[in-house]
Amino acid sequence: MNDYVKRDLKYIWHPCAQMKDYEELNPIVIEKGEGVWLYDIHGNKYLDCISSWWTNTLGHSNKRINEAIKKQIDRIEHVIFANFSNKPAIELAEKLVNITPSRLKKVFFSDNGSSAVEIALKMSFHYNMQKGNTKKKRFVALSDAYHGETLGALSVCDIDEFNKVYKPLLLDTIRVEGPDCYRCKYNCFRDNCNAECFEVMEKRIIENHEEISAVIVEPMVQGAAGMKIYSPIYLKKLRKLCDKYDIHFIVDEIAMGFGRTGEMFACNHAQISPDFMCLSKGISAGYMPMSVVLTTDEVYDCFYGDYNERRSFLHSHTYSGNAMACAIALENLKIFEEYNIIETNKEKGKLIRKLTLEKAKSLKHIGEVRSIGMITAIEIVKDKSIKEGYPWDMRIGYEIYKIALRKGLLLRPIGNVLYFIPPYIISEEEIMFMVDTCFQSIEEYFMKSTIF
């Protein structure tokens, strides 16, 4: 066992993992990255087809972003963000307001996605308390939702793997059955339905609107649920209903913002403007922790006044508005514009989908290939005819993940769902390697498996 691996196992507790598994599959220590590739200390390379947990937009060790960091670090690395500011933060805030939906006019900085969700929930609740809407103390979230892993964020999650043990500590959230287009109860198809499944949400909001502060959703794609993609009409209906009952609409774009779905932001597919937008991951191109919450002038004005009035929103993070992270985000957005990343993503996404569908035809255990923009997901099922799936503990995806690693591909399955979310700079040749290697790994698993 390599010395670095021994030291890792001795001192580090890795996230989202059972550390006992690491005794069998040791931590892979990465030495460097370049483009879509990661290189370990043994010289092995892996195509990072999940963008290192969905963060990396423009490839590892991007030369332009590296230069932006070098320039910024010689100016100021970080400065207290209370009564002080910095140029990159100001420029980034202005840029974000200009490219996000029209209602969003103010930017609140933080340092990770879970915190952004906490901030949006707190702002919504606090706003209602200051407005005298004292009954509005609850939030609405979808089944299978994932919004982060701090206690407030977990309260609006619905994946037992993450939040079951903490339920006694969590907020009393109104849980609504969300869209499931693969197993649609209405026998509809996401591309031409009228979001008939929205009737469940509509009923719950009508019944409980007086006590609802906000509804929070992952727009267009429920990521940790297995990349469940649904109709933009659902979002249109939700925006209209929230307006009718004076309820805040929060979109969690942490994973899907910055081009992942084929639009700059996922809610653009529905042409709706939320009251709060949470952004992280792709905002800083996978380089540094950063998040923001954008909100409306109406929300901002509710907290505006003399300090003695105690109207301030007293939520802070040490690294809010970090100058280096903001400089990275600015360069990231400049590259998006100069290279028309959104349009090139659409073409690359079509190629990934086409190749994946071709490979999936001959495999009886591929239930659905679903895609949007630069996201393509493959759901493995026991019986395609009745769409019978597998629970998390079957670890099918994990076994395929191990096979793929040996072939030089980094997958990060969600239970029985494999997916591609590569950096946007991926080439056609690399796309072909990614898809081919994934299906080789699936086929190898089926050949060895006794489950089927």
Side-chain angles (χ1 to χ4, degrees):
M1 187 183 293
N2 179 275
D3 181 56
Y4 276 106
V5 173
K6 288 180 181 178
R7 288 154 63 189
D8 179 289
L9 292 172
K10 183 176 181 180
Y11 297 112
I12 296 177
W13 190 346
H14 287 264
C16 206
Q18 171 48 256
M19 292 304 298
K20 185 173 176 57
D21 290 344
Y22 284 32
E23 296 171 12
E24 175 200 352
L25 182 62
N26 291 160
I28 297 167
V29 183
I30 297 300
E31 184 96 54
K32 66 174 184 175
E34 184 176 349
V36 299
W37 297 95
L38 298 168
Y39 298 83
D40 70 18
I41 55 177
H42 303 294
N44 302 311
K45 69 175 186 176
Y46 311 87
L47 194 150
D48 184 2
C49 76
I50 57 141
S51 296
S52 289
W53 258 341
W54 320 351
T55 63
N56 192 290
T57 54
L58 301 172
H60 298 281
S61 194
N62 183 283
K63 288 183 171 55
R64 280 189 52 173
I65 294 178
N66 290 354
E67 285 302 314
I69 294 170
K70 291 172 187 176
K71 288 178 183 177
Q72 185 59 44
I73 203 168
D74 285 334
R75 294 170 181 156
I76 180 68
E77 73 298 330
H78 180 65
V79 63
I80 181 175
F81 212 57
N83 206 47
F84 282 78
S85 192
N86 61 77
K87 289 180 180 178
I90 295 165
E91 292 173 10
L92 178 60
E94 182 179 33
K95 183 70 175 175
L96 289 172
V97 168
N98 287 336
I99 66 174
T100 51
S102 58
R103 294 190 190 206
L104 305 173
K105 302 295 184 184
K106 291 293 187 291
V107 179
F108 195 95
F109 285 93
S110 190
D111 54 9
N112 67 82
S114 298
S115 295
V117 168
E118 295 267 348
I119 289 163
L121 296 176
K122 287 176 65 178
M123 277 185 179
S124 175
F125 170 80
H126 197 162
Y127 168 93
N128 278 305
M129 294 306 101
Q130 296 195 150
K131 284 289 187 179
N133 302 326
T134 54
K135 290 183 180 179
K136 289 184 173 288
K137 298 178 181 179
R138 300 181 72 191
F139 300 101
V140 177
L142 295 176
S143 58
D144 295 332
Y146 178 83
H147 297 289
E149 293 168 43
T150 51
L151 288 176
L154 275 178
S155 295
V156 289
C157 286
D158 186 45
I159 296 177
D160 279 351
E161 192 81 4
F162 296 108
N163 66 346
K164 183 176 182 179
V165 69
Y166 303 109
K167 282 184 179 178
L169 303 177
L170 304 182
L171 302 173
D172 181 21
T173 297
I174 297 171
R175 190 74 53 195
V176 174
E177 183 180 2
D180 188 350
C181 296
Y182 177 42
R183 298 174 175 86
C184 180
K185 294 180 178 179
Y186 301 82
N187 297 314
C188 297
F189 299 94
R190 71 171 67 86
D191 294 334
N192 57 16
C193 72
N194 194 39
E196 284 79 0
C197 57
F198 185 76
E199 68 177 12
V200 184
M201 174 69 80
E202 184 174 35
K203 181 181 178 183
R204 296 300 299 278
I205 287 180
I206 291 171
E207 290 172 347
N208 300 281
H209 67 89
E210 290 186 351
E211 58 180 338
I212 298 171
S213 181
V215 180
I216 182 169
V217 300
E218 302 159 84
M220 297 303 297
V221 184
Q222 289 190 279
M227 301 299 162
K228 288 168 65 176
I229 301 166
Y230 60 94
S231 168
I233 295 173
Y234 193 98
L235 298 175
K236 288 178 180 285
K237 289 184 173 182
L238 183 54
R239 173 70 278 180
K240 186 176 180 180
L241 199 62
C242 286
D243 284 337
K244 180 177 180 179
Y245 289 108
D246 193 25
I247 294 168
H248 288 140
F249 186 8
I250 304 171
V251 293
D252 175 353
E253 294 253 12
I254 289 161
M256 300 305 153
F258 300 98
R260 285 289 171 205
T261 65
E263 296 286 347
M264 181 61 89
F265 302 104
C267 63
N268 291 354
H269 287 277
Q271 298 180 316
I272 56 101
S273 186
D275 302 297
F276 297 90
M277 178 184 278
C278 303
L279 298 172
S280 190
K281 291 190 183 289
I283 192 172
S284 56
Y287 269 73
M288 289 187 68
M290 184 183 186
S291 69
V292 301
V293 177
L294 286 99
T295 190
T296 64
D297 280 332
E298 181 184 5
V299 171
Y300 174 83
D301 290 343
C302 185
F303 293 89
Y304 193 85
D306 188 279
Y307 189 81
N308 293 327
E309 296 178 48
R310 299 189 180 278
R311 298 173 65 86
S312 303
F313 184 63
L314 298 179
H315 184 110
S316 61
H317 288 267
T318 303
Y319 285 95
S320 296
N322 178 265
M324 289 175 62
C326 290
I328 291 166
L330 280 169
E331 192 64 25
N332 184 31
L333 290 173
K334 285 178 185 175
I335 296 170
F336 265 68
E337 291 178 353
E338 290 175 25
Y339 290 89
N340 202 11
I341 295 292
I342 300 300
E343 291 306 311
T344 59
N345 275 5
K346 290 177 182 177
E347 295 308 309
K348 290 180 180 181
K350 288 177 184 176
L351 177 59
I352 295 170
R353 174 180 172 80
K354 177 174 177 275
L355 294 174
T356 304
L357 284 169
E358 288 174 357
K359 293 282 186 182
K361 283 179 184 177
S362 60
L363 295 179
K364 64 180 181 180
H365 295 300
I366 303 298
E368 183 184 40
V369 172
R370 46 185 176 263
S371 67
I372 183 171
M374 282 289 277
I375 301 169
T376 295
I378 304 160
E379 181 163 346
I380 297 171
V381 296
K382 184 176 182 180
D383 186 336
K384 187 184 290 190
S385 64
I386 60 172
K387 302 179 181 179
E388 185 179 344
Y390 287 94
W392 277 70
D393 60 3
M394 291 298 287
R395 291 165 66 92
I396 291 172
Y398 179 67
E399 295 303 320
I400 295 171
Y401 160 76
K402 290 192 292 184
I403 295 169
L405 277 177
R406 296 197 296 270
K407 298 178 183 293
L409 184 67
L410 169 55
L411 291 166
R412 180 77 189 188
I414 303 168
N416 62 315
V417 177
L418 309 173
Y419 61 90
F420 304 128
I421 304 187
Y424 303 152
I425 52 105
I426 191 169
S427 69
E428 185 172 328
E429 182 180 0
E430 289 164 339
I431 287 172
M432 293 175 70
F433 171 84
M434 175 179 74
V435 176
D436 286 348
T437 306
C438 178
F439 277 89
Q440 288 168 15
S441 303
I442 294 171
E443 289 172 357
E444 185 173 326
Y445 171 75
F446 285 146
M447 287 173 62
K448 295 178 180 179
S449 175
T450 59
I451 296 175
F452 302 94

